[in-house]
Amino acid sequence: MTWLITGGAGYIGAHVARVMAGAGEDVVVLDDISSGVPRRLPADIPLIKGSALDGGLVRQVLAEHEVTGVVHLAARKQVGESVEQPARYYRENVGGLTTLLEAVAEAGVRRFVFSSSAAVYGNPPDVDLVGEDTPCAPVSPYGETKLAGEWLVRAAGRAHGIATVCLRYFNVAGAAAPELADTGVFNVIPMVFDRLTRDEAPRIFGDTHPTPDGTCVRDYIHVSDLAEAHLAAARRLAGGGEGDLTVNIGRGEGVSVRELIDLIGEVSGDRRPALVEPARAGDAPRAVADARLAAAELGWTARRGVREMVESAWAGWCLHHPEAARH
């Protein structure tokens, strides 16, 4: 089999490409390099620079590389930006997926893994664990495009005999190597790193939530575990496994914002106390994955803990921001 990985030069995509290639899978990457970094990929993984919105290019890649399965990660993923530019998010995330699926169906590709997100749940109800049957109520255009993407993937699967897996992953962190670290400052761990590097205290939004220490509780997943989940999904489909599967990808363990900031202080050596600011409207007090279905259906469970996520993320941050290591 040959797998096309869209967005494969991105932070998550490069980890997926490396894990799949390292496991003996033939992979080819399509990435428009809007946020991807070509040097994240080994030289022996073909990289085609272009967008999933370019139907002609997608058809050419599928044919020339004799693609038999697709792992689709290419998407815009900043929640705040999606609120400001909803049309762009629908055009690129849903439009790109539409164009890709049309080409996949025409080419007779019958295996498709879709990178979804826990953002489809929005602010889940007050439950201990968020299961796949928890109602989906996204609160941002980004989350809406992921939910619409799932609907489209399942519909195309039914219409064209494509076996599909949708992976709803929670908060991704860490890096397999410093050079593969996330270079954006859009998630909580790099946001704390950024403030410490600028000699500013971390921020906590609200400390009166109904949680043990009053701060929001979230599920964090190491990007290497996430990459292995994509490999497990691809191999399920390659082995003739039943499609139309949607699973959460998380650790099933909650970490509070205060616990996370304390751990970052230990790892970075900067233990300054966090500033507590008013809670943000709509923040769910707790959002932790029920990951049992992934274990049952994919034979996958997360193996790495939060300390490993923070330590590897800090090593990557210091590589890209040498001033942080000297701070």
Side-chain angles (χ1 to χ4, degrees), residues 128-129 170-171 217-221 250-256 259 286-291 302 304-306 309:
D128 187 45
L129 296 175
F170 282 63
N171 301 275
V217 172
R218 296 290 183 266
D219 191 331
Y220 296 91
I221 179 78
R251 293 172 59 244
E253 298 178 18
V255 179
S256 77
E259 289 172 330
R286 178 181 173 87
V288 179
D290 184 340
R304 299 162 179 88
V306 178
M309 296 179 216

Side-chain angles (χ1 to χ4, degrees), residues 37-86:
V37 180
R39 66 176 177 273
R40 285 178 171 145
L41 293 171
D44 58 349
I45 294 181
L47 169 62
I48 293 90
K49 296 181 181 179
S51 169
L53 285 160
D54 186 342
L57 176 61
V58 171
R59 288 171 174 81
Q60 179 182 337
V61 172
L62 294 176
E64 289 185 358
H65 292 270
E66 298 181 350
V67 170
T68 49
V70 173
V71 178
H72 181 52
L73 295 109
R76 303 203 66 82
K77 61 177 184 177
Q78 297 177 34
V79 171
E81 183 183 63
S82 78
V83 174
E84 298 167 356
Q85 303 177 44

Side-chain angles (χ1 to χ4, degrees), residues 120-131 133-137 284-288:
V120 300
Y121 296 117
N123 296 320
D126 186 14
V127 294
D128 187 45
L129 296 175
V130 177
D133 58 352
T134 297
C136 291
R286 178 181 173 87
V288 179

